[in-house]
Amino acid sequence: MVLRIFGWSFAVTIASLIVAAIYGGPQAVMLVVILSILEISLSFDNAVINATVLQRMSEFWQKIFLTVGVLIAVFGMRLVFPLVIVWLASGLGPAAALDLALNPPADDAAYFPDGSPSYETLLTDAHPQIAAFGGMFLLMLFLGFILEEREITWLSWLEKPLARIGKLDQLEVVIAGALLLITAAYIAPDATVSTVMIAGVLGMITYIAVNGLGELFNTEEGDEDSETTKSGGPTQLAKATGKAGFFLFLYLEVLDASFSFDGVIGAFAITSDPIIIALGLGFVGAMFVRSITVFLVRKGTLSDYVYLEHGAHWAIGALAVILLVSIGYHVNENVTGLVGVALIGAAFISSIIRNRRNPEPIAVDDHDDQAESVPVG
């Protein structure tokens, strides 16, 4: 089963390394390998969250996520998105932005007579608004999960009190809004305060809109016996179809975008070549994240290790805070990756300990009967 699930990822990896070797020789191959490892390590919590949503979708929408969604992740976020940022920030046309990315001139005046910065600097300068949008979207996701009362808790000493105060209506919006104000007032550089505020509010609005539409159409299209408990994202149903499936798909794509923002910016610490970045982060990294998502669902990992979802959401909360802090201060990418891995690893170990103490099966949201319905890439 492992080969069936990861087969396409291995094939794409081999093809990407061959393309990298032809494009830039051994150095390009090494850069692709480094970026791939970076993307996979930073996105494991993304895969866990993806799995919690994917198992609620019908087989049709699962296939859409694993096909069309991969194309959006690879080409849209890892290749087109950086070019669009440079295009908008520089005033260059799309073709000129691509040419600047592929053939950076020794003298920036060749493109910018007024001495404006290069492609890499233009994209890096867009980090505050990108981090504000992604950070607030992920923060809303984290708060929506951690402020919801649930039967199983991991860090009970903290999660139970948070769930109790979470009964206050729209508390997550209040907390997120307060943190955004603090970020804009005390962390963001003076020149970016307004753009950080606008981008952060757009991140909150995007989460509320996508999550709300998902709940709306899940309610309309589900039967009366469908379970409607929340899990930090759109409402859970046995299988979401039609409009509900579409909004779950949209939710996953926005979530993936929020995770990928920081990775794309961080990749420029390794290379500024958009082809290498697309091969490493997109073709290899994004494919393996998708395969890990499918593996988690098919193996019923989230049901067997019940704290994994909690650990992933705490990792998301940490990533959201790191993104907001990074608006004003540099945060090493290794810190971001290690925090996520540490939290998910701790949740996994806690799940093993719980299973040994309670060997009988644990029913969680009745998803086990769906595991076999997940298609393979």
Side-chain angles (χ1 to χ4, degrees), residues 187-222:
I187 297 177
D190 292 340
T192 65
V193 169
S194 60
T195 56
V196 165
M197 284 295 297
I198 293 172
V201 170
L202 287 175
M204 294 173 63
I205 291 173
T206 301
Y207 176 84
I208 294 170
V210 176
N211 186 49
L213 288 170
E215 292 181 1
L216 172 65
F217 287 110
N218 272 339
T219 301
E220 290 181 354
E221 296 182 13

PDB file of all heavy atoms in Angstrom, residues 187-222:
ATOM      1  N   ILE A 187       5.131  45.327  16.278  1.00  0.00           N
ATOM      2  CA  ILE A 187       6.040  44.429  15.572  1.00  0.00           C
ATOM      3  C   ILE A 187       6.303  44.889  14.139  1.00  0.00           C
ATOM      4  O   ILE A 187       7.448  44.918  13.688  1.00  0.00           O
ATOM      5  CB  ILE A 187       5.488  42.983  15.570  1.00  0.00           C
ATOM      6  CG1 ILE A 187       5.400  42.449  17.003  1.00  0.00           C
ATOM      7  CG2 ILE A 187       6.375  42.074  14.719  1.00  0.00           C
ATOM      8  CD1 ILE A 187       4.810  41.059  17.108  1.00  0.00           C
ATOM      9  N   ALA A 188       5.264  45.252  13.415  1.00  0.00           N
ATOM     10  CA  ALA A 188       5.403  45.629  12.008  1.00  0.00           C
ATOM     11  C   ALA A 188       6.215  46.914  11.856  1.00  0.00           C
ATOM     12  O   ALA A 188       6.043  47.853  12.643  1.00  0.00           O
ATOM     13  CB  ALA A 188       4.025  45.805  11.373  1.00  0.00           C
ATOM     14  N   PRO A 189       7.105  46.982  10.861  1.00  0.00           N
ATOM     15  CA  PRO A 189       7.797  48.244  10.568  1.00  0.00           C
ATOM     16  C   PRO A 189       6.779  49.335  10.261  1.00  0.00           C
ATOM     17  O   PRO A 189       5.699  49.068   9.724  1.00  0.00           O
ATOM     18  CB  PRO A 189       8.637  47.896   9.329  1.00  0.00           C
ATOM     19  CG  PRO A 189       8.806  46.407   9.389  1.00  0.00           C
ATOM     20  CD  PRO A 189       7.540  45.887   9.987  1.00  0.00           C
ATOM     21  N   ASP A 190       7.133  50.558  10.580  1.00  0.00           N
ATOM     22  CA  ASP A 190       6.203  51.684  10.434  1.00  0.00           C
ATOM     23  C   ASP A 190       5.638  51.793   9.024  1.00  0.00           C
ATOM     24  O   ASP A 190       4.456  52.110   8.840  1.00  0.00           O
ATOM     25  CB  ASP A 190       6.894  52.993  10.810  1.00  0.00           C
ATOM     26  CG  ASP A 190       7.224  53.061  12.299  1.00  0.00           C
ATOM     27  OD1 ASP A 190       6.592  52.305  13.066  1.00  0.00           O
ATOM     28  OD2 ASP A 190       8.115  53.848  12.680  1.00  0.00           O
ATOM     29  N   ALA A 191       6.467  51.515   8.026  1.00  0.00           N
ATOM     30  CA  ALA A 191       6.036  51.684   6.634  1.00  0.00           C
ATOM     31  C   ALA A 191       5.021  50.628   6.200  1.00  0.00           C
ATOM     32  O   ALA A 191       4.380  50.783   5.153  1.00  0.00           O
ATOM     33  CB  ALA A 191       7.243  51.648   5.703  1.00  0.00           C
ATOM     34  N   THR A 192       4.875  49.555   6.986  1.00  0.00           N
ATOM     35  CA  THR A 192       3.999  48.456   6.567  1.00  0.00           C
ATOM     36  C   THR A 192       2.760  48.305   7.438  1.00  0.00           C
ATOM     37  O   THR A 192       2.003  47.357   7.251  1.00  0.00           O
ATOM     38  CB  THR A 192       4.777  47.121   6.586  1.00  0.00           C
ATOM     39  OG1 THR A 192       5.145  46.806   7.941  1.00  0.00           O
ATOM     40  CG2 THR A 192       6.027  47.196   5.728  1.00  0.00           C
ATOM     41  N   VAL A 193       2.546  49.198   8.385  1.00  0.00           N
ATOM     42  CA  VAL A 193       1.455  49.040   9.350  1.00  0.00           C
ATOM     43  C   VAL A 193       0.106  48.905   8.651  1.00  0.00           C
ATOM     44  O   VAL A 193      -0.688  47.990   8.947  1.00  0.00           O
ATOM     45  CB  VAL A 193       1.420  50.216  10.340  1.00  0.00           C
ATOM     46  CG1 VAL A 193       0.129  50.178  11.174  1.00  0.00           C
ATOM     47  CG2 VAL A 193       2.627  50.169  11.261  1.00  0.00           C
ATOM     48  N   SER A 194      -0.190  49.793   7.709  1.00  0.00           N
ATOM     49  CA  SER A 194      -1.505  49.754   7.051  1.00  0.00           C
ATOM     50  C   SER A 194      -1.673  48.502   6.204  1.00  0.00           C
ATOM     51  O   SER A 194      -2.742  47.881   6.213  1.00  0.00           O
ATOM     52  CB  SER A 194      -1.690  51.000   6.185  1.00  0.00           C
ATOM     53  OG  SER A 194      -0.691  51.082   5.177  1.00  0.00           O
ATOM     54  N   THR A 195      -0.615  48.111   5.478  1.00  0.00           N
ATOM     55  CA  THR A 195      -0.730  46.914   4.635  1.00  0.00           C
ATOM     56  C   THR A 195      -0.855  45.654   5.489  1.00  0.00           C
ATOM     57  O   THR A 195      -1.563  44.720   5.125  1.00  0.00           O
ATOM     58  CB  THR A 195       0.483  46.785   3.700  1.00  0.00           C
ATOM     59  OG1 THR A 195       1.698  46.785   4.468  1.00  0.00           O
ATOM     60  CG2 THR A 195       0.526  47.911   2.694  1.00  0.00           C
ATOM     61  N   VAL A 196      -0.172  45.621   6.639  1.00  0.00           N
ATOM     62  CA  VAL A 196      -0.284  44.477   7.552  1.00  0.00           C
ATOM     63  C   VAL A 196      -1.697  44.387   8.099  1.00  0.00           C
ATOM     64  O   VAL A 196      -2.289  43.294   8.173  1.00  0.00           O
ATOM     65  CB  VAL A 196       0.749  44.600   8.692  1.00  0.00           C
ATOM     66  CG1 VAL A 196       0.412  43.642   9.834  1.00  0.00           C
ATOM     67  CG2 VAL A 196       2.145  44.309   8.172  1.00  0.00           C
ATOM     68  N   MET A 197      -2.279  45.511   8.488  1.00  0.00           N
ATOM     69  CA  MET A 197      -3.648  45.512   9.005  1.00  0.00           C
ATOM     70  C   MET A 197      -4.628  45.023   7.939  1.00  0.00           C
ATOM     71  O   MET A 197      -5.494  44.175   8.214  1.00  0.00           O
ATOM     72  CB  MET A 197      -4.039  46.908   9.470  1.00  0.00           C
ATOM     73  CG  MET A 197      -3.449  47.326  10.809  1.00  0.00           C
ATOM     74  SD  MET A 197      -4.056  46.299  12.183  1.00  0.00           S
ATOM     75  CE  MET A 197      -5.813  46.666  12.140  1.00  0.00           C
ATOM     76  N   ILE A 198      -4.499  45.546   6.726  1.00  0.00           N
ATOM     77  CA  ILE A 198      -5.421  45.157   5.647  1.00  0.00           C
ATOM     78  C   ILE A 198      -5.269  43.673   5.325  1.00  0.00           C
ATOM     79  O   ILE A 198      -6.261  42.943   5.222  1.00  0.00           O
ATOM     80  CB  ILE A 198      -5.170  46.014   4.393  1.00  0.00           C
ATOM     81  CG1 ILE A 198      -5.543  47.470   4.652  1.00  0.00           C
ATOM     82  CG2 ILE A 198      -5.957  45.472   3.200  1.00  0.00           C
ATOM     83  CD1 ILE A 198      -5.146  48.418   3.548  1.00  0.00           C
ATOM     84  N   ALA A 199      -4.015  43.211   5.189  1.00  0.00           N
ATOM     85  CA  ALA A 199      -3.783  41.803   4.855  1.00  0.00           C
ATOM     86  C   ALA A 199      -4.273  40.889   5.971  1.00  0.00           C
ATOM     87  O   ALA A 199      -4.855  39.824   5.708  1.00  0.00           O
ATOM     88  CB  ALA A 199      -2.290  41.577   4.594  1.00  0.00           C
ATOM     89  N   GLY A 200      -4.042  41.283   7.229  1.00  0.00           N
ATOM     90  CA  GLY A 200      -4.501  40.470   8.353  1.00  0.00           C
ATOM     91  C   GLY A 200      -6.007  40.358   8.411  1.00  0.00           C
ATOM     92  O   GLY A 200      -6.559  39.279   8.641  1.00  0.00           O
ATOM     93  N   VAL A 201      -6.695  41.491   8.209  1.00  0.00           N
ATOM     94  CA  VAL A 201      -8.160  41.465   8.197  1.00  0.00           C
ATOM     95  C   VAL A 201      -8.669  40.608   7.045  1.00  0.00           C
ATOM     96  O   VAL A 201      -9.638  39.845   7.197  1.00  0.00           O
ATOM     97  CB  VAL A 201      -8.719  42.905   8.093  1.00  0.00           C
ATOM     98  CG1 VAL A 201     -10.220  42.877   7.835  1.00  0.00           C
ATOM     99  CG2 VAL A 201      -8.415  43.675   9.370  1.00  0.00           C
ATOM    100  N   LEU A 202      -8.018  40.681   5.885  1.00  0.00           N
ATOM    101  CA  LEU A 202      -8.415  39.838   4.748  1.00  0.00           C
ATOM    102  C   LEU A 202      -8.224  38.357   5.075  1.00  0.00           C
ATOM    103  O   LEU A 202      -9.026  37.518   4.663  1.00  0.00           O
ATOM    104  CB  LEU A 202      -7.602  40.212   3.511  1.00  0.00           C
ATOM    105  CG  LEU A 202      -7.961  41.533   2.830  1.00  0.00           C
ATOM    106  CD1 LEU A 202      -6.993  41.830   1.687  1.00  0.00           C
ATOM    107  CD2 LEU A 202      -9.399  41.493   2.316  1.00  0.00           C
ATOM    108  N   GLY A 203      -7.160  38.027   5.817  1.00  0.00           N
ATOM    109  CA  GLY A 203      -6.956  36.641   6.234  1.00  0.00           C
ATOM    110  C   GLY A 203      -8.073  36.155   7.135  1.00  0.00           C
ATOM    111  O   GLY A 203      -8.570  35.031   6.988  1.00  0.00           O
ATOM    112  N   MET A 204      -8.507  37.003   8.076  1.00  0.00           N
ATOM    113  CA  MET A 204      -9.615  36.653   8.963  1.00  0.00           C
ATOM    114  C   MET A 204     -10.915  36.505   8.182  1.00  0.00           C
ATOM    115  O   MET A 204     -11.673  35.548   8.385  1.00  0.00           O
ATOM    116  CB  MET A 204      -9.772  37.727  10.043  1.00  0.00           C
ATOM    117  CG  MET A 204      -8.606  37.807  11.011  1.00  0.00           C
ATOM    118  SD  MET A 204      -8.740  39.231  12.143  1.00  0.00           S
ATOM    119  CE  MET A 204     -10.257  38.813  13.019  1.00  0.00           C
ATOM    120  N   ILE A 205     -11.177  37.460   7.285  1.00  0.00           N
ATOM    121  CA  ILE A 205     -12.408  37.412   6.486  1.00  0.00           C
ATOM    122  C   ILE A 205     -12.440  36.159   5.621  1.00  0.00           C
ATOM    123  O   ILE A 205     -13.478  35.496   5.494  1.00  0.00           O
ATOM    124  CB  ILE A 205     -12.524  38.676   5.615  1.00  0.00           C
ATOM    125  CG1 ILE A 205     -12.787  39.902   6.493  1.00  0.00           C
ATOM    126  CG2 ILE A 205     -13.635  38.527   4.567  1.00  0.00           C
ATOM    127  CD1 ILE A 205     -12.750  41.211   5.741  1.00  0.00           C
ATOM    128  N   THR A 206     -11.284  35.811   5.026  1.00  0.00           N
ATOM    129  CA  THR A 206     -11.220  34.623   4.172  1.00  0.00           C
ATOM    130  C   THR A 206     -11.559  33.370   4.960  1.00  0.00           C
ATOM    131  O   THR A 206     -12.337  32.520   4.508  1.00  0.00           O
ATOM    132  CB  THR A 206      -9.818  34.487   3.551  1.00  0.00           C
ATOM    133  OG1 THR A 206      -9.526  35.655   2.783  1.00  0.00           O
ATOM    134  CG2 THR A 206      -9.750  33.259   2.640  1.00  0.00           C
ATOM    135  N   TYR A 207     -10.990  33.241   6.166  1.00  0.00           N
ATOM    136  CA  TYR A 207     -11.297  32.068   6.991  1.00  0.00           C
ATOM    137  C   TYR A 207     -12.776  32.016   7.345  1.00  0.00           C
ATOM    138  O   TYR A 207     -13.431  30.980   7.216  1.00  0.00           O
ATOM    139  CB  TYR A 207     -10.456  32.062   8.264  1.00  0.00           C
ATOM    140  CG  TYR A 207     -10.831  30.913   9.173  1.00  0.00           C
ATOM    141  CD1 TYR A 207     -10.279  29.653   8.980  1.00  0.00           C
ATOM    142  CD2 TYR A 207     -11.776  31.073  10.185  1.00  0.00           C
ATOM    143  CE1 TYR A 207     -10.647  28.590   9.779  1.00  0.00           C
ATOM    144  CE2 TYR A 207     -12.151  30.012  10.989  1.00  0.00           C
ATOM    145  CZ  TYR A 207     -11.579  28.773  10.781  1.00  0.00           C
ATOM    146  OH  TYR A 207     -11.962  27.710  11.555  1.00  0.00           O
ATOM    147  N   ILE A 208     -13.308  33.141   7.820  1.00  0.00           N
ATOM    148  CA  ILE A 208     -14.716  33.178   8.241  1.00  0.00           C
ATOM    149  C   ILE A 208     -15.636  32.862   7.074  1.00  0.00           C
ATOM    150  O   ILE A 208     -16.615  32.106   7.202  1.00  0.00           O
ATOM    151  CB  ILE A 208     -15.058  34.552   8.848  1.00  0.00           C
ATOM    152  CG1 ILE A 208     -14.284  34.757  10.160  1.00  0.00           C
ATOM    153  CG2 ILE A 208     -16.555  34.688   9.097  1.00  0.00           C
ATOM    154  CD1 ILE A 208     -14.363  36.161  10.695  1.00  0.00           C
ATOM    155  N   ALA A 209     -15.320  33.411   5.890  1.00  0.00           N
ATOM    156  CA  ALA A 209     -16.170  33.201   4.717  1.00  0.00           C
ATOM    157  C   ALA A 209     -16.134  31.750   4.254  1.00  0.00           C
ATOM    158  O   ALA A 209     -17.190  31.121   4.046  1.00  0.00           O
ATOM    159  CB  ALA A 209     -15.727  34.128   3.580  1.00  0.00           C
ATOM    160  N   VAL A 210     -14.934  31.191   4.093  1.00  0.00           N
ATOM    161  CA  VAL A 210     -14.818  29.811   3.601  1.00  0.00           C
ATOM    162  C   VAL A 210     -15.374  28.828   4.616  1.00  0.00           C
ATOM    163  O   VAL A 210     -16.113  27.894   4.270  1.00  0.00           O
ATOM    164  CB  VAL A 210     -13.345  29.479   3.274  1.00  0.00           C
ATOM    165  CG1 VAL A 210     -13.207  28.021   2.870  1.00  0.00           C
ATOM    166  CG2 VAL A 210     -12.834  30.377   2.157  1.00  0.00           C
ATOM    167  N   ASN A 211     -15.052  29.031   5.895  1.00  0.00           N
ATOM    168  CA  ASN A 211     -15.565  28.150   6.935  1.00  0.00           C
ATOM    169  C   ASN A 211     -17.080  28.252   7.041  1.00  0.00           C
ATOM    170  O   ASN A 211     -17.791  27.245   7.157  1.00  0.00           O
ATOM    171  CB  ASN A 211     -14.920  28.519   8.273  1.00  0.00           C
ATOM    172  CG  ASN A 211     -15.294  27.554   9.382  1.00  0.00           C
ATOM    173  OD1 ASN A 211     -15.196  26.350   9.217  1.00  0.00           O
ATOM    174  ND2 ASN A 211     -15.726  28.091  10.508  1.00  0.00           N
ATOM    175  N   GLY A 212     -17.598  29.482   6.982  1.00  0.00           N
ATOM    176  CA  GLY A 212     -19.046  29.685   7.083  1.00  0.00           C
ATOM    177  C   GLY A 212     -19.800  29.093   5.912  1.00  0.00           C
ATOM    178  O   GLY A 212     -20.854  28.464   6.093  1.00  0.00           O
ATOM    179  N   LEU A 213     -19.283  29.270   4.698  1.00  0.00           N
ATOM    180  CA  LEU A 213     -19.939  28.693   3.526  1.00  0.00           C
ATOM    181  C   LEU A 213     -19.904  27.170   3.574  1.00  0.00           C
ATOM    182  O   LEU A 213     -20.865  26.505   3.175  1.00  0.00           O
ATOM    183  CB  LEU A 213     -19.264  29.200   2.248  1.00  0.00           C
ATOM    184  CG  LEU A 213     -19.527  30.676   1.902  1.00  0.00           C
ATOM    185  CD1 LEU A 213     -18.619  31.123   0.780  1.00  0.00           C
ATOM    186  CD2 LEU A 213     -20.992  30.873   1.511  1.00  0.00           C
ATOM    187  N   GLY A 214     -18.778  26.630   4.066  1.00  0.00           N
ATOM    188  CA  GLY A 214     -18.703  25.173   4.209  1.00  0.00           C
ATOM    189  C   GLY A 214     -19.760  24.652   5.156  1.00  0.00           C
ATOM    190  O   GLY A 214     -20.431  23.655   4.885  1.00  0.00           O
ATOM    191  N   GLU A 215     -19.940  25.324   6.288  1.00  0.00           N
ATOM    192  CA  GLU A 215     -20.958  24.913   7.248  1.00  0.00           C
ATOM    193  C   GLU A 215     -22.362  25.062   6.667  1.00  0.00           C
ATOM    194  O   GLU A 215     -23.228  24.201   6.853  1.00  0.00           O
ATOM    195  CB  GLU A 215     -20.840  25.746   8.527  1.00  0.00           C
ATOM    196  CG  GLU A 215     -19.586  25.468   9.326  1.00  0.00           C
ATOM    197  CD  GLU A 215     -19.539  26.298  10.604  1.00  0.00           C
ATOM    198  OE1 GLU A 215     -20.497  27.056  10.840  1.00  0.00           O
ATOM    199  OE2 GLU A 215     -18.563  26.162  11.348  1.00  0.00           O
ATOM    200  N   LEU A 216     -22.588  26.162   5.946  1.00  0.00           N
ATOM    201  CA  LEU A 216     -23.903  26.420   5.364  1.00  0.00           C
ATOM    202  C   LEU A 216     -24.308  25.317   4.404  1.00  0.00           C
ATOM    203  O   LEU A 216     -25.392  24.738   4.519  1.00  0.00           O
ATOM    204  CB  LEU A 216     -23.898  27.767   4.643  1.00  0.00           C
ATOM    205  CG  LEU A 216     -25.156  28.098   3.818  1.00  0.00           C
ATOM    206  CD1 LEU A 216     -26.369  28.234   4.733  1.00  0.00           C
ATOM    207  CD2 LEU A 216     -24.934  29.374   3.013  1.00  0.00           C
ATOM    208  N   PHE A 217     -23.439  24.995   3.459  1.00  0.00           N
ATOM    209  CA  PHE A 217     -23.803  24.006   2.447  1.00  0.00           C
ATOM    210  C   PHE A 217     -23.748  22.586   2.993  1.00  0.00           C
ATOM    211  O   PHE A 217     -24.470  21.713   2.526  1.00  0.00           O
ATOM    212  CB  PHE A 217     -22.906  24.152   1.222  1.00  0.00           C
ATOM    213  CG  PHE A 217     -23.230  25.375   0.418  1.00  0.00           C
ATOM    214  CD1 PHE A 217     -22.363  26.447   0.376  1.00  0.00           C
ATOM    215  CD2 PHE A 217     -24.423  25.465  -0.272  1.00  0.00           C
ATOM    216  CE1 PHE A 217     -22.663  27.582  -0.358  1.00  0.00           C
ATOM    217  CE2 PHE A 217     -24.741  26.599  -1.007  1.00  0.00           C
ATOM    218  CZ  PHE A 217     -23.861  27.653  -1.051  1.00  0.00           C
ATOM    219  N   ASN A 218     -22.887  22.335   4.000  1.00  0.00           N
ATOM    220  CA  ASN A 218     -22.925  21.023   4.648  1.00  0.00           C
ATOM    221  C   ASN A 218     -24.267  20.803   5.318  1.00  0.00           C
ATOM    222  O   ASN A 218     -24.844  19.725   5.273  1.00  0.00           O
ATOM    223  CB  ASN A 218     -21.819  20.921   5.705  1.00  0.00           C
ATOM    224  CG  ASN A 218     -20.516  20.426   5.114  1.00  0.00           C
ATOM    225  OD1 ASN A 218     -20.496  19.809   4.057  1.00  0.00           O
ATOM    226  ND2 ASN A 218     -19.421  20.718   5.787  1.00  0.00           N
ATOM    227  N   THR A 219     -24.789  21.854   5.954  1.00  0.00           N
ATOM    228  CA  THR A 219     -26.089  21.756   6.639  1.00  0.00           C
ATOM    229  C   THR A 219     -27.209  21.543   5.630  1.00  0.00           C
ATOM    230  O   THR A 219     -28.111  20.733   5.830  1.00  0.00           O
ATOM    231  CB  THR A 219     -26.359  23.024   7.450  1.00  0.00           C
ATOM    232  OG1 THR A 219     -25.304  23.192   8.409  1.00  0.00           O
ATOM    233  CG2 THR A 219     -27.670  22.930   8.183  1.00  0.00           C
ATOM    234  N   GLU A 220     -27.155  22.259   4.513  1.00  0.00           N
ATOM    235  CA  GLU A 220     -28.215  22.152   3.510  1.00  0.00           C
ATOM    236  C   GLU A 220     -28.208  20.804   2.815  1.00  0.00           C
ATOM    237  O   GLU A 220     -29.253  20.245   2.502  1.00  0.00           O
ATOM    238  CB  GLU A 220     -28.056  23.269   2.472  1.00  0.00           C
ATOM    239  CG  GLU A 220     -28.376  24.649   3.009  1.00  0.00           C
ATOM    240  CD  GLU A 220     -28.236  25.715   1.950  1.00  0.00           C
ATOM    241  OE1 GLU A 220     -27.778  25.382   0.838  1.00  0.00           O
ATOM    242  OE2 GLU A 220     -28.589  26.875   2.224  1.00  0.00           O
ATOM    243  N   GLU A 221     -26.992  20.265   2.559  1.00  0.00           N
ATOM    244  CA  GLU A 221     -26.900  19.048   1.754  1.00  0.00           C
ATOM    245  C   GLU A 221     -26.825  17.786   2.593  1.00  0.00           C
ATOM    246  O   GLU A 221     -26.988  16.690   2.097  1.00  0.00           O
ATOM    247  CB  GLU A 221     -25.668  19.143   0.844  1.00  0.00           C
ATOM    248  CG  GLU A 221     -25.798  20.282  -0.153  1.00  0.00           C
ATOM    249  CD  GLU A 221     -24.597  20.363  -1.094  1.00  0.00           C
ATOM    250  OE1 GLU A 221     -23.811  19.396  -1.111  1.00  0.00           O
ATOM    251  OE2 GLU A 221     -24.476  21.349  -1.804  1.00  0.00           O
ATOM    252  N   GLY A 222     -26.576  17.920   3.913  1.00  0.00           N
ATOM    253  CA  GLY A 222     -26.518  16.747   4.756  1.00  0.00           C
ATOM    254  C   GLY A 222     -27.905  16.308   5.174  1.00  0.00           C
ATOM    255  O   GLY A 222     -28.862  17.063   5.130  1.00  0.00           O
TER     256      GLY A 222
END
